Amino acid sequence: ILDFTTKDYSFFVQDQWRATSKLTVNAGLRYEYSQLPQPSQVNPLYPQTGKINSPGSNFGPRLGLAYSINDKTVVRLGGGLFYARFQGALLQTFHLSNGLYQPQILVQPAGAGAPTFPNRVASLTGFPQGSVSLTFPAADFRNPYTFQGDIAIERQLAKDMGLTLSYVYSRGVQITTSRDLNI
């Protein structure tokens, strides 16, 4: 049975001020920290399976600008850094795939103690070990994040109608991937 909890802590500050009669500025900073659960079993042959790094430098600045060209047209700019949460399934894999938590055995039909279909294996003793497949995080394991930005031009066309043209940008960085160390 595997049961774990990830504790997330987040803090955010933001301020808005009018730089001029036509320009409004919004600035903010968000801090996020995930206290990741550590594996309960460590494979002594692979000590990397015993530690999951909890990165502590997840600062995400935000900035927004609104500039009024005239009483009917506004240009808006905004951007920020946004950190992703750690996926529970990924953390589960780090806990379970250490070569100990779920050991593999090799059962061949002609082997001693091998069950015949539809019977099941009665005991895990007496069988040779299967190959060990490990999954562990890199020592510098960290959150993926995105930089997101947008620019928009808004124009009032009538009393109850407006038009907005905008461009949205998003770029993912440090996306979680896996690497085969046996190559």
Side-chain angles (χ1 to χ4, degrees):
I1 296 174
L2 179 63
D3 186 16
F4 64 82
T5 301
T6 302
K7 295 181 181 177
D8 293 313
Y9 303 94
S10 300
F11 304 95
F12 183 76
V13 294
Q14 180 177 327
D15 198 8
Q16 174 179 310
W17 67 94
R18 267 198 183 283
T20 69
S21 62
K22 294 183 172 248
L23 179 65
T24 302
V25 179
N26 289 289
L29 181 66
R30 183 176 179 89
Y31 174 74
E32 298 181 11
Y33 176 73
S34 295
Q35 185 178 3
L36 301 179
Q38 298 303 307
S40 58
Q41 290 186 356
V42 179
N43 189 326
L45 299 175
Y46 305 95
Q48 312 89 307
T49 62
K51 172 100 173 91
I52 303 173
N53 184 42
S54 294
S57 60
N58 293 344
F59 288 96
R62 316 284 204 268
L63 180 65
L65 304 170
Y67 183 76
S68 175
I69 295 174
N70 55 43
D71 63 340
K72 295 190 182 269
T73 307
V74 176
V75 176
R76 299 183 190 279
L77 293 158
L81 203 66
F82 299 86
Y83 285 90
R85 291 194 71 232
F86 289 102
Q87 298 175 1
L90 177 63
L91 298 175
Q92 175 183 331
T93 299
F94 292 152
H95 285 261
L96 298 179
S97 297
N98 63 4
L100 295 176
Y101 204 94
Q102 293 179 326
Q104 295 182 12
I105 61 169
L106 180 60
V107 179
Q108 296 188 6
T116 56
F117 184 79
N119 297 324
R120 294 180 282 176
V121 174
S123 170
L124 296 179
T125 58
F127 292 108
Q129 289 286 327
S131 61
V132 176
S133 180
L134 302 172
T135 303
F136 55 86
D140 63 346
F141 182 61
R142 60 211 184 271
N143 302 65
Y145 64 89
T146 58
F147 174 75
Q148 299 176 21
D150 68 281
I151 182 169
I153 300 172
E154 297 178 359
R155 174 81 177 166
Q156 181 181 358
L157 300 176
K159 179 182 173 191
D160 59 352
M161 185 186 309
L163 173 68
T164 301
L165 297 173
S166 63
Y167 173 79
V168 177
Y169 173 83
S170 182
R171 177 176 180 256
V173 181
Q174 297 177 352
I175 306 300
T176 304
T177 61
S178 62
R179 184 174 60 177
D180 188 348
L181 297 177
N182 289 327
I183 294 179

